[in-house]
Amino acid sequence: MKKIREKKVREKKVREKKERVKKINLPKLDLNNKRNNIIVTSVIGVLALVVTIVTGVQFTKFRNFNAEFYTGNVDEIQSYSKYSKYLAGTSGDAPIYILYGDNNTVAVVRASDADKYDTIDKVLEADARVVKGGVVNIDKEELDISAIAKADAATAIDEVKNGTSDIAIVTYADYRAVRDTYTDLTVAKAEIEAVPSILVMGGTHPNEPSGQLAATMFLENAKVKRGVLYVVNEVNRSAYTHSQPQEATSWYYELQTASGQTRTFKYGSRATNTVDQWPTPDVYTHSSGQQLSSSEVRNINRSYPGDEKGTYTEKLSYAITQLVLQNDITMVVDLHEASPEYITINAIVAHDDALELASDAKMWTLDDVMNIGVEVSPATLHGLTHRDLGDYTYAYVFLAETSNASQGKLRGKFSPDLITYKEKDKFYEYAKEYDEKHGTKLLYAPAADIDERVARHTFTVSALIKSFNDMGCVSRTVNVGKIGEREGRYLGKLEIEMVPGYEDIMDNGVGYYLHDLD
């Protein structure tokens, strides 16, 4: 009996074990399921590759796309590499557009003699010279040259061309009339008559589009009667070759000309492309010893006066500094934008020596139309145009700001319409209404559309020119600083015409003043 019971117990355990095994769902090898997994994984891989290729092609196209500008009224085009040789052949070697005044007095000589006549004394001491004109102003002293004047400029220039005379002193308009025909003639280095000059800078930060567009207003419309106009509308061209990381910004925006032609512009990054400058240090130390966050190492407006052999960004700012120094440019205006919630906005920031001019310009900005503030450049904040470009050159230096919603953080979806603000952002509009209702300061200035922003900048530059003319037409006097002492000198008026005014742009829009491109 005992053995029978033991047998039954064993059999029971075996049955229970078998039941437990039945309850466990062991996976079966499914060859069809494995094949499906391989197919799905392969499809995902192919899609990822396609997306990578398409994105790469688009980004390469964006990097290599260059906005076109009308240059039909430009007298000379230089580039940064003329002033900073290490930039030659690089993406940041931006063009410098130069427009000379019709009434500027110049010495026309054979191209082979250009270096020979590098001072006015050498011009006036020449054995043979032909002069057109009557009285030339040199440092407010009148030089009467009527006794040796020719009746007309064409005859004077022809005699230089034919070798019967060495020099023809004429207006630049006279020289321009034959420039393309008499390619073996040029303007001598000698300054026959001192004239004022201005550099208008746009595109320091390519995510601040009104700066570039306002500079382009001068480039494509200005008629210089007296003086010299320099325009750089892609100050940091390298920063136009990539977009702002992690911001999902639009790459392009468009404007329509008066005839309906589409002009396409890029919306780039605030900083130099890492392709051109790498690596980024943890801390950026400016040449003054000032320390800033790492990202500022690629911000050209923290790198002045620059360094010919420094970082790529410092090479760019060095080129600008040398452009101003070597050409003794009288005034510099750097055009910027800021987010509506930024405290320094709708303002002119001026170097100490330029503050009086900025304050006078404010008087012309019609507070009831476009109120604008004036601030002095902080002496301890280095690397900016209004500080170190002012410290290291003889120019009056200014920086101007307008209100750009596409730079702000209160915005909604990013689109080309946000850049131009032709379609208003509901969040910025709500913030504006809230400030008006409660007297708060969520915004330091309402978000403005591209027409208003460009109109402000264009009018500001024109107001600064008017202030220079009204306040004596004298270059900056430097008593102390990084470049040594120099007395200011009388230059006469800077006369620039045909640039659209504030109301013109507000009434007709920016596109109306952009040229059609062939």
Side-chain angles (χ1 to χ4, degrees), residues 192-207:
I192 305 304
E193 181 180 22
V195 295
S197 54
I198 186 169
L199 167 61
V200 180
M201 298 169 59
T204 290
H205 297 143
N207 62 337

Side-chain angles (χ1 to χ4, degrees), residues 367-380:
D367 284 355
D368 58 331
V369 177
M370 52 166 290
N371 183 41
I372 192 166
V374 174
E375 299 182 17
V376 65
S377 171
T380 57

Side-chain angles (χ1 to χ4, degrees), residues 346-368:
N346 287 347
I348 302 173
V349 185
H351 186 273
D352 315 54
D353 292 343
L355 189 60
E356 187 176 3
L357 281 174
S359 299
D360 187 73
K362 175 180 168 61
M363 296 174 60
W364 300 107
T365 57
L366 307 174
D367 284 355
D368 58 331

Side-chain angles (χ1 to χ4, degrees), residues 2 124 129 241-242 254 326 349 424 469 477 493 499:
K2 182 179 179 181
L124 298 178
R129 63 182 180 273
T241 65
H242 70 142
E254 297 177 340
Q326 292 181 33
V349 185
K424 298 185 183 301
N469 292 338
T477 296
K493 288 188 175 182
V499 178

Side-chain angles (χ1 to χ4, degrees), residues 275-439:
V275 171
D276 296 316
Q277 182 176 322
W278 185 261
T280 299
D282 292 334
V283 176
Y284 167 48
T285 303
H286 181 262
S287 57
S288 64
Q290 171 184 271
Q291 291 189 327
L292 298 168
S293 64
S294 62
S295 62
E296 300 290 20
V297 74
R298 293 185 291 115
N299 179 356
I300 190 173
N301 206 36
R302 297 294 183 276
S303 66
Y304 288 96
D307 183 340
E308 186 179 21
K309 296 182 180 180
T311 67
Y312 189 82
T313 306
E314 289 172 334
K315 291 173 184 174
L316 297 175
S317 54
Y318 175 84
I320 289 287
T321 302
Q322 291 304 309
L323 165 68
V324 177
L325 270 176
Q326 292 181 33
N327 294 285
D328 198 11
I329 293 177
T330 312
M331 303 169 68
V332 176
V333 188
D334 187 13
L335 302 174
H336 285 253
E337 299 199 271
S339 62
E341 58 267 34
Y342 184 61
I343 189 170
T344 302
I345 200 166
N346 287 347
I348 302 173
V349 185
H351 186 273
D352 315 54
D353 292 343
L355 189 60
E356 187 176 3
L357 281 174
S359 299
D360 187 73
K362 175 180 168 61
M363 296 174 60
W364 300 107
T365 57
L366 307 174
D367 284 355
D368 58 331
V369 177
M370 52 166 290
N371 183 41
I372 192 166
V374 174
E375 299 182 17
V376 65
S377 171
T380 57
L381 183 56
H382 292 283
L384 291 95
T385 48
H386 53 73
R387 172 45 53 195
D388 282 314
L389 197 55
D391 283 350
Y392 285 87
T393 74
Y394 294 102
Y396 297 108
V397 185
F398 312 87
L399 180 146
E401 297 272 11
T402 61
S403 180
N404 173 19
S406 64
Q407 284 181 270
K409 299 301 181 184
L410 299 183
R411 61 173 172 81
K413 179 184 177 182
F414 202 107
S415 69
D417 286 335
L418 183 69
I419 297 173
T420 61
Y421 211 65
K422 291 302 183 182
E423 182 177 326
K424 298 185 183 301
D425 179 88
K426 64 180 181 180
F427 298 103
Y428 272 114
E429 292 306 302
Y430 174 78
K432 174 186 173 182
E433 293 171 4
Y434 190 90
D435 280 346
E436 291 173 349
K437 182 177 180 179
H438 300 282

Side-chain angles (χ1 to χ4, degrees), residues 213-228:
L213 292 173
T216 302
M217 290 291 99
F218 280 83
L219 171 64
E220 299 193 3
N221 294 279
K223 179 69 173 176
V224 184
K225 302 301 291 183
R226 188 174 186 278
V228 185

Side-chain angles (χ1 to χ4, degrees), residues 79-84 87 92-94 96 232 234-235 316 319-320:
S79 64
Y80 280 10
S81 52
K82 175 179 173 66
Y83 302 96
S84 185
L87 294 175
D93 192 10
I96 302 163
V232 180
E234 295 174 300
V235 170
L316 297 175
I320 289 287

